[in-house]
Amino acid sequence: PFPRNVEKQILISNIERTYSMRRQLPLRLSATGMIGLAALSATHWLREHVTAPAPLLAFVLGSMPNLAAAVAMPLILASFTPRISQVPITRKSRVTYLVVLSFTTMGLCVWELMQIRNDRFVFDIYDLIATGVGSVIAYVAFIWNTRSFTDEAARTSPRGEA
């Protein structure tokens, strides 16, 4: 029904759109992770330049590095992991991201727990909580960034398999 050149033009357009999407997802994931790194840098700057902070600000400045690292690390790692940053996003991509997220969260928690026995650092239960909250934020950010890259079959499948 379509002339040959129109079919060819549609095919080329679809290929260009898919290639563009493949480049966009890793950039979106790493850019979102960079927001966490910016928060980490801002926290370190504030720690050095704010003298005698109010109690609430001191509390936030104490736990913010854990929250920021828990947001940044998995998203930036995901942007470099081909199975996660491929388009379209499938169930396998999500499972791989959960592995990366779990790995970074456990690493940050182990680091915090190691501070119990270290005289140079101070253990703080709120840092563990901040790590957990940051991991939840990272998961939500991943879902939000990948929602437009999800395969149509994964959206309509009852179990999310594609």
Side-chain angles (χ1 to χ4, degrees):
F2 287 114
R4 200 101 164 105
N5 61 346
V6 172
E7 286 179 359
K8 186 176 181 182
Q9 195 67 24
I10 291 171
L11 178 64
I12 290 171
S13 174
N14 286 340
I15 291 170
E16 288 173 347
R17 186 169 37 91
T18 302
Y19 179 72
S20 174
M21 288 176 74
R22 285 185 180 164
R23 288 183 311 186
Q24 287 176 5
L25 181 58
L27 289 174
R28 286 174 71 171
L29 292 174
S30 61
T32 307
M34 298 279 272
I35 292 170
L37 291 178
L40 185 63
S41 295
T43 301
H44 285 299
W45 186 88
L46 286 170
R47 281 178 161 184
E48 291 175 8
H49 293 89
V50 174
T51 56
L56 180 61
L57 182 59
F59 171 76
V60 169
L61 290 176
S63 294
M64 186 58 142
N66 292 70
L67 187 135
V71 170
M73 290 172 62
L75 289 168
I76 291 173
L77 284 173
S79 71
F80 293 113
T81 307
R83 179 175 279 168
I84 297 171
S85 59
Q86 70 186 1
V87 174
I89 296 296
T90 61
R91 185 172 192 268
K92 223 181 249 189
S93 304
R94 288 187 198 95
V95 169
T96 304
Y97 179 74
L98 286 174
V99 169
V100 169
L101 181 65
S102 300
F103 175 76
T104 57
T105 302
M106 286 191 314
L108 289 168
C109 288
V110 165
W111 168 252
E112 191 62 35
L113 292 171
M114 286 174 49
Q115 294 178 19
I116 292 172
R117 295 192 165 263
N118 192 326
D119 295 333
R120 269 186 67 207
F121 299 106
V122 177
F123 170 77
D124 186 2
I125 190 72
Y126 293 112
D127 288 349
L128 286 174
I129 294 169
T131 299
V133 170
S135 296
V136 170
I137 293 170
Y139 181 73
V140 170
F142 176 77
I143 296 301
W144 182 75
N145 276 304
T146 60
R147 72 190 186 287
S148 61
F149 298 99
T150 303
D151 185 14
E152 191 62 35
R155 286 186 202 158
T156 58
S157 176
R159 292 183 18 209
E161 297 173 353

